[in-house]
């Protein structure tokens, strides 16, 4: 539905006001080095960094390459790019190399053959990275909160443990937004993470460190979580694949903050990766026996599927219009937040934190303070009208998609924004958040690069427990559009 003339006038006023507020914010915000904008990630030189995870596992089992060589290749890449993108906040490189050496010894001594190893340890020797909000034994688990600086995980979150049990080797943990409640990965403990395609732009959030390290080829597979787009937005901004599974398939245990109130029904843990072929194997490992109900190994006949394409949400006063390049790409095919900020200490008072922020004394980011301010005036429970609207939309969409429908929908209305810009377009996450509310599985799929060299992409939405349809479509689109592109490549897809 098109906006009325009055609504367009209101949009013009709001954008003007937003521009003025952003100018004021820029004056008050800390300065970033101007030389950063001219720098780019160094090109990939080691061919092992261009191999999908499952292919790496096969090469390791067949002794075509050692796990030590693969792990060392990724360590070298991270050490090369992390000073620029600030994605990995704590590494475990010495332990990872020791574990890789143990893998190589195991393969040397294995007498049962390659098939036995593949069945028992499908990811044997393959490195991976983990969002810092998940517990990974021996690694920090602060979620960017200054008061949790000294918290070290004693155990592994279930999805992390399952990946390790499948033979994968964790390299370290990656940055996220403060308390995982914003789409820019920035906090006062680890600093700000940059987009590998443009260091002056955001990698998204809250799994932005994962998106950035994957997009920059510092990792091949990773673990993310999604409560409003926190897997899909970073995957989109960094040109990689991400999947929000059917709710309840992958355990959400072992994350901070734990989901409360309405969040348990919205939160999903899922895989992020550079190559579409790795999505199904990762999901099978991370979900364990729960994935049996998804029939992930059943063959999907793409010709028999029904595809629906929606280019935008129809227009809204509070949401940015969809970038024309994204439209063209798609056509081609109840714990309070303030209490969480306090982390069992004195409750944070948002107005006081706002005053402290203006003089550089707050330990919290502007995004976290803003969310706490919004919460002060927000109802604790949705109204009956909102619940009815949600249930009506849910019925309509589930009826439309059925067991053979795939909806193509924008991942976000804009390409990766400049740092801090999302503060003035906070409702743009609605393009992803709506599917958390509806509980539908969604795969984010890259579709090449824009004229600015930034990733394009779209969401593939399917009915509940029909994950295999979007995952199979993602594999097809990767072949058609090239999938992940190395940052700095000149091949442009949008015309």
């Amino acid at each position: 539905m098109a906006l009325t003339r009055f609504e367009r006038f209101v949009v013009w006023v709001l954008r003007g006001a937003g521009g003025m507020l952003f100018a004021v914010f820029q004056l008050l915000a800390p300065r970033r080095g101007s030389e950063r904008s001219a720098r780019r990630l160094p090109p990939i030189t080691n061919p092992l960094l261009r191999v999908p995870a499952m292919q790496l596992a096969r090469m390791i089992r067949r002794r075509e390459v050692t796990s030590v060589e693969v792990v060392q290749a990724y360590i070298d890449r991270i050490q090369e790019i992390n000073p620029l993108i600030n994605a990995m906040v704590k590494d475990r490189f010495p332990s990872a190399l020791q574990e890789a050496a143990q893998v190589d010894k195991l393969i040397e001594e294995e007498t049962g053959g390659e098939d036995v190893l593949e069945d028992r340890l499908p990811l044997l020797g393959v490195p991976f990275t983990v969002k810092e909000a998940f517990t990974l034994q021996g690694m920090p688990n602060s979620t960017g909160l200054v008061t949790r600086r000294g918290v070290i995980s004693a155990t592994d979150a279930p999805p992390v443990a399952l990946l390790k049990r499948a033979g994968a080797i964790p390299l370290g943990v990656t940055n996220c937004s403060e308390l995982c409640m914003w789409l820019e990965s920035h906090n006062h403990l680890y600093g700000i993470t940059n987009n590998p395609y443009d260091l002056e732009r955001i990698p998204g959030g809250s799994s932005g460190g994962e998106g950035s390290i994957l997009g920059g080829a510092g990792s091949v597979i990773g673990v993310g979580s999604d409560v409003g787009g926190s897997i899909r937005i970073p995957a989109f901004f960094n040109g990689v694949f991400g999947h929000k599974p059917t709710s309840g398939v992958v355990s959400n245990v072992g994350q901070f903050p734990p989901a409360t109130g309405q969040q348990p029904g919205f939160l999903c843990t899922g895989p992020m990766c550079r190559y579409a072929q790795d999505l199904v194997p990762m999901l099978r490992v991370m979900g364990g026996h729960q994935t049996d109900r998804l029939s992930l190994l059943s063959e999907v006949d793409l010709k028999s599927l029904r595809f629906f394409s929606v280019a935008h949400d129809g227009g809204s006063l509070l949401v940015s219009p969809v970038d024309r390049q994204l439209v063209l790409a798609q056509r081609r095919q109840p714990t309070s937040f303030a209490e969480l900020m306090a982390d069992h200490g004195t409750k944070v008072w948002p107005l006081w934190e706002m005053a402290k922020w203006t003089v550089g004394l707050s330990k919290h980011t502007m995004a976290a303070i803003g969310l706490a301010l919004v919460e002060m005036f927000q109802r604790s429970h949705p109204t009956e009208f909102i619940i009815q609207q949600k249930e009506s939309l849910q019925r309509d969409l589930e009826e439309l998609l059925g067991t053979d429908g795939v909806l193509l929908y924008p991942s976000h209305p804009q390409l990766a924004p400049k740092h801090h810009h999302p503060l003035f377009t906070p409702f743009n996450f609605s393009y992803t958040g709506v599917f958390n509310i509806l509980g539908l599985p969604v795969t984010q799929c890259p579709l090449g690069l824009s004229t600015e060299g930034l990733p394009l992409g779209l969401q593939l939405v399917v009915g509940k427990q029909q994950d295999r349809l979007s995952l199979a479509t993602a594999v097809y689109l990767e072949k058609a559009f090239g999938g992940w592109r190395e940052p700095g490549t000149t091949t442009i897809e949008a015309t």
Side-chain angles (χ1 to χ4, degrees):
M1 182 177 177
L3 297 178
T4 65
R5 184 175 300 177
F6 174 74
E7 288 173 331
R8 287 197 297 270
F9 171 76
V10 172
V11 168
W12 181 84
V13 171
L14 289 174
R15 288 180 185 167
M20 293 176 62
L21 287 172
F22 185 72
V24 173
F25 175 84
Q26 291 287 73
L27 290 173
L28 295 174
R31 299 288 181 183
R32 289 165 56 82
S34 59
E35 74 280 358
R36 191 179 295 270
S37 61
R39 302 190 66 182
R40 294 188 175 213
L41 263 61
I44 296 170
T45 56
N46 192 322
L48 289 175
L49 301 179
R50 300 181 185 276
V51 182
M54 297 310 294
Q55 187 176 336
L56 282 173
R58 185 163 55 250
M59 292 170 65
I60 292 170
R61 290 194 301 270
R62 294 177 177 176
R63 306 180 193 181
E64 296 171 5
V65 65
T66 66
S67 176
V68 167
E69 289 173 325
V70 174
V71 169
Q72 188 63 60
Y74 275 98
I75 290 174
D76 292 343
R77 180 63 176 174
I78 291 171
Q79 291 176 332
E80 185 178 41
I81 66 174
N82 205 55
L84 294 173
I85 60 175
N86 189 37
M88 180 165 284
V89 295
K90 182 66 175 178
D91 69 71
R92 56 185 306 278
F93 294 158
S95 297
L97 285 170
Q98 289 178 6
E99 290 160 12
Q102 292 170 1
V103 165
D104 293 331
K105 183 179 179 181
L106 171 65
I107 292 173
E108 284 289 335
E109 297 174 350
E110 176 60 45
T111 58
E114 180 190 343
D115 292 342
V116 173
L117 285 175
E118 182 179 9
D119 180 64
R120 186 161 47 96
L121 301 163
L123 289 168
L124 184 61
V126 176
F128 73 105
T129 45
V130 181
K131 182 180 183 178
E132 200 258 18
F134 289 89
T135 55
L136 170 60
Q137 188 175 30
M139 292 285 101
N141 181 226
S142 68
T143 318
L145 203 60
V146 173
T147 55
R148 287 177 61 87
R149 185 190 301 272
V151 176
I152 302 297
S153 302
T155 59
D156 295 322
V160 175
L162 287 169
L163 285 168
K164 291 171 69 174
R165 196 178 303 169
I169 299 173
L171 296 175
V173 291
T174 56
N175 205 13
C176 57
S177 58
E178 186 176 357
L179 291 171
C180 291
M181 291 299 286
W182 190 239
L183 67 158
E184 178 155 17
S185 294
H186 174 214
N187 56 71
H188 289 324
L189 189 55
Y190 301 123
I192 197 165
T193 299
N194 302 315
N195 189 303
Y197 292 85
D198 182 342
L199 302 180
E200 289 298 305
R201 294 178 184 268
I202 73 170
S206 58
S207 309
E210 276 304 299
S212 180
I213 203 81
L214 285 162
S219 181
V220 65
I221 56 176
V223 179
S225 57
D226 191 312
V227 75
S230 296
I231 286 176
R232 289 160 291 152
I233 293 175
F236 167 50
F237 288 167
N238 297 281
V240 299
F241 294 88
H243 183 66
K244 182 188 88 66
T246 292
S247 297
V249 170
V250 181
S251 172
N252 292 320
V253 174
Q255 298 183 54
F256 185 85
T260 59
Q262 301 287 325
Q263 292 178 359
F266 304 156
L267 178 63
C268 288
T269 297
M272 299 175 69
C273 54
R274 272 188 287 137
Y275 301 99
Q277 64 182 264
D278 294 329
L279 286 169
V280 168
M282 279 193 73
L283 184 56
R284 291 185 66 210
V285 169
M286 293 171 67
H289 294 303
Q290 290 292 330
T291 60
D292 291 347
R293 55 189 166 115
L294 303 183
S295 304
L296 292 175
L297 296 183
S298 299
E299 187 175 350
V300 176
D301 180 9
L302 294 177
K303 294 180 181 179
S304 67
L305 300 183
R306 298 174 298 122
F307 290 91
F308 308 92
S309 183
V310 177
H312 53 76
D313 65 1
S316 168
L317 293 175
L318 300 176
V319 180
S320 302
V322 176
D323 188 288
R324 180 175 176 273
Q325 295 181 83
L326 294 172
V327 174
L328 292 175
Q330 184 167 325
R331 285 177 180 171
R332 297 184 309 163
Q333 284 313 325
T335 299
S336 75
F337 194 73
E339 288 171 340
L340 287 172
M341 290 167 69
D343 189 33
H344 306 294
T346 304
K347 183 176 179 178
V348 171
W349 296 99
L351 291 173
W352 177 235
E353 288 299 321
M354 176 72 78
K356 288 164 61 179
W357 182 88
T358 60
V359 292
L361 296 179
S362 177
K363 295 180 180 179
H364 302 285
T365 59
M366 172 58 77
I369 296 169
L371 285 169
L373 281 170
V374 169
E375 190 180 62
M376 291 174 63
F377 305 99
Q378 189 178 38
R379 295 174 62 99
S380 59
H381 299 285
T383 65
E384 187 64 30
F385 174 76
I386 293 296
I387 293 174
Q388 291 175 356
Q389 291 295 303
K390 176 255 186 183
E391 292 176 347
S392 175
L393 178 59
Q394 195 166 35
R395 286 193 301 270
D396 291 346
L397 202 49
E398 288 180 357
E399 182 179 341
L400 174 71
L401 294 173
T403 60
D404 63 351
V406 180
L407 171 65
L408 280 59
Y409 197 71
S411 305
H412 196 74
Q414 298 176 320
L415 305 177
K418 294 289 184 88
H419 283 297
H420 306 303
H421 277 230
L423 286 170
F424 305 94
T425 55
F427 298 103
N428 282 353
F429 85 98
S430 61
Y431 273 83
T432 50
V434 62
F435 300 114
N436 293 83
I437 295 173
L438 298 177
L440 298 176
V442 188
T443 305
Q444 147 61 31
C445 183
L447 295 178
L449 302 178
S450 71
T451 54
E452 303 95 332
L454 299 173
L456 302 169
L458 84 168
Q459 297 181 91
L460 305 170
V461 187
V462 292
K464 290 181 180 179
Q465 300 190 30
Q466 306 303 317
D467 301 54
R468 68 186 185 280
L469 305 185
S470 63
L471 295 171
T473 304
V475 171
Y476 171 78
L477 290 177
E478 179 181 44
K479 294 176 182 177
F481 292 94
W484 168 79
R485 303 293 178 85
E486 180 181 349
T489 53
T490 56
T491 303
I492 305 301
E493 299 297 333
T495 57

